[in-house]
Amino acid sequence: PEAPRRQAPVVDERPTDTRPIPVRTKTRDTLVGYDKDISAALKAAEVKARERELADAKRKNPKQPAKAASLWPVSPRYRFWLMLAVVALACGLGFGAMWIILGADGA
């Protein structure tokens, strides 16, 4: 049995002080942590969206398999070497800049 809901208090449109009136956009029942666990529903919605995305990709091009979404444009095979090269380049630039800056004082 659901508890009866209280009506929201009626307030003036413009109160005398200058603080804005807080506007509640969600009901208490939809707020996370109010007697409901919505994590399973969110996960199910994500899975359905991904299945729909894969189905659309398969329908558009049935011969090519759908790729998994990835943030990296580089294949996992070369990722380590790319990261190593980026770190080495950053270190080299940093040491080179310090060499130039510290070597420019005429020592």
Side-chain angles (χ1 to χ4, degrees):
E2 188 173 330
R5 297 182 189 191
R6 280 190 318 175
Q7 288 287 354
V10 177
V11 293
D12 295 333
E13 283 190 22
R14 250 349 252 169
T16 54
D17 58 335
T18 57
R19 284 180 288 144
I21 300 171
V23 177
R24 188 169 20 166
T25 57
K26 296 180 179 179
T27 63
R28 293 178 86 176
D29 294 348
T30 60
L31 293 174
V32 177
Y34 187 75
D35 293 337
K36 287 190 177 185
D37 181 22
I38 62 168
S39 60
L42 290 176
K43 244 179 210 179
E46 287 177 16
V47 169
K48 281 186 181 180
R50 182 66 183 143
E51 286 173 353
R52 209 173 16 240
E53 190 178 300
L54 290 173
D56 288 345
K58 190 173 185 181
R59 189 169 24 90
K60 286 179 185 174
N61 195 351
K63 293 181 182 176
Q64 184 180 13
K67 291 183 183 177
S70 174
L71 297 175
W72 282 78
V74 180
S75 71
R77 185 177 188 177
Y78 302 112
R79 242 177 244 172
F80 172 77
W81 298 109
L82 177 68
M83 288 189 291
L84 188 67
V86 168
V87 169
L89 182 65
C91 289
L93 286 173
F95 283 123
M98 290 310 294
W99 188 341
I100 291 171
I101 291 170
L102 295 178
D105 62 359

